[in-house]
Amino acid sequence: QKEVEQNSGPLSVPEGAIASLNCTYSDRGSQSFFWYRQYSGKSPELIMSIYSNGDKEDGRFTAQLNKASQYVSLLIRDSQPSDSATYLCAVNNDQAGTALIFGKGTTLSVSS
Amino acid sequence: SQTIHQWPATLVQPVGSPLSLECTVEGTSNPNLYWYRQAAGRGLQLLFYSIGIGQISSEVPQNLSASRPQDRQFILSSKKLLLSDSGFYLCAWSVQSSTEAFFGQGTRLTVV
């Protein structure tokens, strides 16, 4: 059973702080990793994708991947109240005919 | 650019009634298509995925079925709804298994 684990939270940070979201996965064959943001009542929207070990930065967001430790994280710098949402980690092993497996998400609350 | 349409946005159905949810994708050919369900307080559960017309893989045995009558059309159906079928149903597409998936706006189904 392939699993993706996330701390459900809530993770509370003050405005301007760095929010750190973590995710672990069970399938060592996983090759593609994604972070989605989901506002309450809305569908998930893609924030970041990462395929190689190391860091990938996009604006205020940094994704970090460590395949040896089966660990992927998302850092949000200068957190804003508009960042308050549930963040979903998704993983795929890239075999033909497979789909993304999602964690249950971490709820982030940014207070002003 | 690619867009995904999913309807209806909300649906209230009595127990035992049939269900048909439709999803279409524009601006791409031969996409991978997915149906996910998100129950209250739970993560995204993969229900079905399709890599081509008439090719459907089921992840969870239940009273739901899916069909792909055209390249960019994906339909989720049920002959008789159960209370446990309530949830947020999300259609998604991707270029291939290893790439990011993009979600439709979702259908919030309440079975009463």
Side-chain angles (χ1 to χ4, degrees), chain A residues 44-80:
Chain A
E45 55 179 328
L46 180 71
I47 298 175
M48 295 279 289
S49 59
I50 187 166
Y51 302 92
S52 303
N53 280 329
D55 295 358
K56 179 181 178 182
E57 186 175 320
D58 184 0
R60 295 187 296 113
F61 299 97
T62 298
Q64 299 174 318
L65 174 61
N66 185 325
K67 290 185 180 180
S69 299
Q70 296 177 241
Y71 176 91
V72 58
S73 65
L74 179 70
L75 299 178
I76 305 175
R77 291 182 299 282
D78 188 24
S79 295
Q80 301 297 309

Side-chain angles (χ1 to χ4, degrees), chain B residues 4-59:
Chain B
I4 178 168
H5 303 280
Q6 187 182 343
W7 66 92
T10 59
L11 192 59
V12 180
Q13 292 285 96
V15 169
S17 64
L19 174 73
S20 180
L21 301 180
E22 187 167 343
C23 170
T24 59
V25 180
E26 295 178 356
T28 187
S29 296
N30 197 32
N32 284 6
L33 296 173
Y34 313 91
W35 280 110
Y36 287 88
R37 178 173 62 196
Q38 190 174 39
R42 301 184 65 180
L44 282 169
Q45 179 187 32
L46 178 65
L47 301 176
F48 301 95
Y49 64 90
S50 171
I51 60 173
I53 295 175
Q55 302 178 68
I56 310 292
S57 296
S58 174
E59 289 294 306

Side-chain angles (χ1 to χ4, degrees), chain A:
Chain A
Q1 180 77 9
K2 300 172 185 175
E3 295 183 341
V4 178
E5 300 288 342
Q6 295 181 256
N7 187 323
S8 62
L11 174 64
S12 298
V13 301
E15 184 175 359
I18 296 175
S20 178
L21 305 162
N22 305 314
C23 171
T24 59
Y25 57 94
S26 63
D27 183 4
R28 283 198 170 275
S30 299
Q31 297 294 327
S32 306
F33 307 86
F34 308 93
W35 283 99
Y36 287 80
R37 176 176 63 199
Q38 185 176 24
Y39 291 113
S40 180
K42 302 296 185 182
S43 61
E45 55 179 328
L46 180 71
I47 298 175
M48 295 279 289
S49 59
I50 187 166
Y51 302 92
S52 303
N53 280 329
D55 295 358
K56 179 181 178 182
E57 186 175 320
D58 184 0
R60 295 187 296 113
F61 299 97
T62 298
Q64 299 174 318
L65 174 61
N66 185 325
K67 290 185 180 180
S69 299
Q70 296 177 241
Y71 176 91
V72 58
S73 65
L74 179 70
L75 299 178
I76 305 175
R77 291 182 299 282
D78 188 24
S79 295
Q80 301 297 309
S82 58
D83 295 326
S84 298
T86 297
Y87 289 80
L88 304 173
C89 174
V91 174
N92 198 336
N93 64 16
D94 295 354
Q95 293 181 10
T98 60
L100 292 180
I101 304 299
F102 284 82
K104 293 184 178 180
T106 298
T107 299
L108 172 66
S109 177
V110 181
S111 56
S112 57

